Structure formats: structure tokens, C-alpha cells
């Protein structure tokens, strides 16, 4: 399969359980050789979409093509084992009575098992072939599950929130391992997640699924910096949304007169708009600033690598969130001054 041909083509896909619609005319092309994240809240239809791709459920309408071959047209559906798809569930779902090697080789014909030890080495588990799942850490179990999914040389690997059961410290390292393994294997992957940071940091493309519909699709940086709508801006990451008036390359809002991203939509005359500023675009000062806006610290949320500071503007009560690197000396109740460090993004009202 070449990179010019989508690994998966989904057209008009619909699925309901009884009278409850779950997917509503979903259409999406998944590029070959990349990790695509399907991002959505609980109940948005993410797992149902993955189950249809894997062949565990069948579509009510629409079609699915994998590597150019139709596997579901709403009437006939190929069986899961005939789709060329590997599946990694959230809980790894290893056979507890089988060794690492037996788990990885399960379902692989004996004549095709020659490269499985190389695959086990690829996922960083060389020397663990004779261990059982209960002798492995959670991260090691997830790598065994990934190796098992890759063992059939699939066209696509589906990952159903595979890091959700891991603790925070382990999650970061396993994420990095999975990205490396998939890149080394040159395998197309679809990652289902509700975690914005996970989607932004791991995927080359993000599809936002809301109420059974794809509402946005694109590269992570494009969706984060230039989201199509304010609602999508909030779904992709923490957002400060302000009312403003734009004229040409400048916008006036509660934080002053700001430059607008040069490749944003043009505005030749004074025009009402909505303004997007991400938390990292706000800079806080303990001393008064000529171009600053006075605000009061409402809450400080320390995350180690950064800190989110919730603010209330002293001028109009507007609520804002700023992000600073590492720790901070600011405390709840403290007065600060807010300036903006970079171009704003706007939508016309």
C-alpha cells in the first residue's frame, strides 16, 4: 500500500443500537503510515467506530475500505480475521495461561513465526519470551498486546484507549514506546482517546468525534492554533475566548489591541468577532504594565512541568487561564497584570 492511497476510507458510516443512533454519516480518510487519533468524550461513538473497523460490529449504512478493499458496505461485512487489522484493547487482554511468545504467536501459522522473536525484540521484551502476563508490568503487558497485533502484519493497528489503565508516570514512557514501535514497523494506526494531550502529542492527524459526527479533521498544530470554530477550540485544548472587534490585522478585546494571525480570515472594516488566546499566550507580571490588564489570581494548578493559573479580570470579571513553565510564585488572591505574547486567532460573529 502506497502513502498516496488512504489506508482506510470511511464513507457515510452509520450505526445505531436499537432506537439510539451512535454514528451519524461518518466519512473519513486515514492516511497510510501515520497515527491518526480519534478524539472525543465518552459516548461520542469512538469505540463503536473502532468496533466497526475491526469487524466486531457491522454498519447499518455506509462503507469501509481497508487498503482499497471494501470490508463493509452496510449489507455484507468481512470477518475480523479477513480484514488485515490488528487490535489493541485498553486492558491488553492477554491470555493469562500463555507465555509472552505464545501470546504474540497466537493465531499466527507456525510457518510464519520465524520473525516473531525480532518483533518481541522490537517492542523491548527480548528475554521475556517465557514469562507469563502476571510476571509483567502494565506497560510490558501493553507492549505484548501491541506485538500480538503486529504479528499478523496488519494493514492497520487499532488502539482502543490503550494507556487508560496505566499510572501517569508509566503512561508517558509507554506512549513513547508505542509511537517508536509503530514508526519502526511502518504501520498505520488509529488511536481512540478522550485525552487532548495524548491526541496532540502522539498523532499526525486528529479527527474530532462529537455526538456521532466528525466535526473537525486535520493536523494537531493546525487544529490547536487555527480551529474552525470556538467549540472545536475548547475540545482540542484549554482556550480563552473573548469578544472583540477586528479591523484589518488587529483586534480590540478585553486584553487590549492585539495583532491577528497573518493567515487568518481577512477583515477590512470594524467587525464583531470572537478571539482565541491559548493559556501559554498570556504572560503574567507582578508589577504594573503599561499595556497590561489587571487581574486577580483565582486558583493555581501545579502540574510539575507547567502550572495553570486561573484569573479574573479586575475590569470586567472576565475569567482567563494562563500557563507558565514549571512552578510559580503567584498565589490565590494576588493581583497581577496580564499581557499577550503572540498573535490572536479570530472568528467572525
Amino acid at each position: 500500500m502506497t502513502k498516496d492511497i488512504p489506508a482506510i476510507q470511511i464513507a457515510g458510516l452509520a450505526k445505531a443500537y436499537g432506537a439510539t443512533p451512535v454514528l451519524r454519516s461518518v466519512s473519513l480518510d486515514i492516511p497510510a503510515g501515520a497515527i491518526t487519533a480519534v478524539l472525543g468524550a465518552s459516548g461520542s461513538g469512538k469505540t463503536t467506530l473502532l468496533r466497526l473497523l475491526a469487524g466486531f460490529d457491522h454498519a447499518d449504512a455506509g462503507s469501509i475500505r481497508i487498503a482499497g478493499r471494501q470490508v463493509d458496505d452496510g449489507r455484507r461485512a468481512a470477518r475480523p480475521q479477513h480484514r488485515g487489522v490488528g487490535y489493541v484493547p485498553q486492558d491488553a487482554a492477554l491470555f493469562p495461561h500463555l507465555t509472552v511468545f505464545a501470546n504474540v504467536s497466537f493465531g499466527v501459522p507456525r510457518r510464519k513465526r520465524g520473525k516473531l522473536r525480532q518483533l518481541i525484540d522490537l517492542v523491548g521484551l527480548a528475554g521475556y519470551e517465557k514469562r507469563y502476563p502476571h510476571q509483567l508490568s502494565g506497560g510490558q503487558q501493553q507492549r505484548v498486546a501491541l506485538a500480538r497485533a503486529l504479528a499478523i502484519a496488519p494493514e492497520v493497528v487499532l488502539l482502543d484507549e490503550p494507556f487508560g489503565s496505566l499510572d501517569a508516570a508509566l503512561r508517558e514512557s509507554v506512549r513513547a514506546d508505542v509511537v517508536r514501535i509503530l514508526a519502526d514497523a511502518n504501520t498505520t494506526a488509529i488511536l481512540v482517546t478522550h485525552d487532548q494531550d495524548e491526541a496532540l502529542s502522539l498523532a499526525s492527524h486528529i479527527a474530532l468525534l462529537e455526538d456521532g459526527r466528525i466535526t473537525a479533521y486535520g493536523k494537531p498544530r493546525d487544529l490547536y492554533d487555527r480551529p474552525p470554530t470556538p467549540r472545536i477550540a475548547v475540545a482540542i485544548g484549554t482556550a480563552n475566548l473573548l469578544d472583540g472587534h477586528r479591523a484589518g490585522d488587529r483586534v480590540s478585546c478585553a486584553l487590549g489591541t492585539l495583532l491577528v494571525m497573518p493567515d487568518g480570515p481577512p477583515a477590512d472594516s470594524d467587525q464583531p468577532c470572537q478571539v482565541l488566546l491559548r493559556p501559554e499566550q498570556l504572560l503574567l507580571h507582578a508589577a504594573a504594565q503599561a499595556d497590561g490588564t489587571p487581574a486577580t489570581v483565582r486558583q493555581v494548578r501545579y502540574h510539575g512541568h507547567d502550572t495553570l493559573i486561573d484569573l479574573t479580570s479586575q475590569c470586567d470579571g472576565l475569567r482567563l487561564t494562563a500557563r507558565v513553565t514549571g512552578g510559580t510564585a503567584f498565589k490565590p488572591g494576588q493581583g497581577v497584570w496580564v499581557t499577550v505574547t503572540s498573535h490572536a486567532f479570530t472568528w467572525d460573529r
Side-chain angles (χ1 to χ4, degrees), residues 285-294 335-339:
H285 310 264
Q289 302 291 308
D291 58 346
T293 301
V336 296
W337 291 76
V338 183
T339 59

Side-chain angles (χ1 to χ4, degrees), residues 40-167:
S42 297
S44 61
K46 305 185 305 295
T47 295
T48 296
L49 176 60
L50 218 60
R51 290 182 62 83
L52 293 178
L53 293 174
F56 302 150
D57 287 331
H58 299 161
D60 296 334
S63 65
I64 300 171
R65 301 180 73 88
I66 297 177
R69 184 171 65 90
Q70 187 158 281
V71 296
D72 195 337
D73 63 2
R75 299 181 302 276
R76 297 178 302 277
R79 294 181 177 180
Q81 63 268 33
H82 298 150
R83 295 191 175 207
V85 168
Y87 181 74
V88 181
Q90 180 174 343
D91 59 358
L94 302 179
F95 297 111
H97 62 292
L98 297 181
T99 64
V100 167
F101 185 83
N103 265 285
V104 173
S105 61
F106 186 84
V108 179
R110 189 172 297 276
R111 68 182 184 279
K112 295 184 178 181
R113 294 182 181 180
K115 294 185 177 181
L116 291 188
R117 294 191 185 279
Q118 295 178 21
L119 182 57
I120 291 173
D121 183 48
L122 177 68
V123 300
L125 291 174
Y128 289 76
E129 292 87 348
K130 295 182 179 180
R131 294 197 184 185
Y132 290 88
H134 73 274
Q135 297 173 311
L136 304 175
S137 69
Q140 289 169 335
Q141 290 180 21
Q142 280 303 107
R143 293 203 292 273
V144 174
L146 181 57
R148 182 176 62 186
L150 292 171
I152 61 172
E155 297 287 350
V156 176
V157 170
L158 308 176
L159 302 107
D160 188 2
E161 305 214 38
F163 315 114
S165 61
L166 304 177
D167 62 68

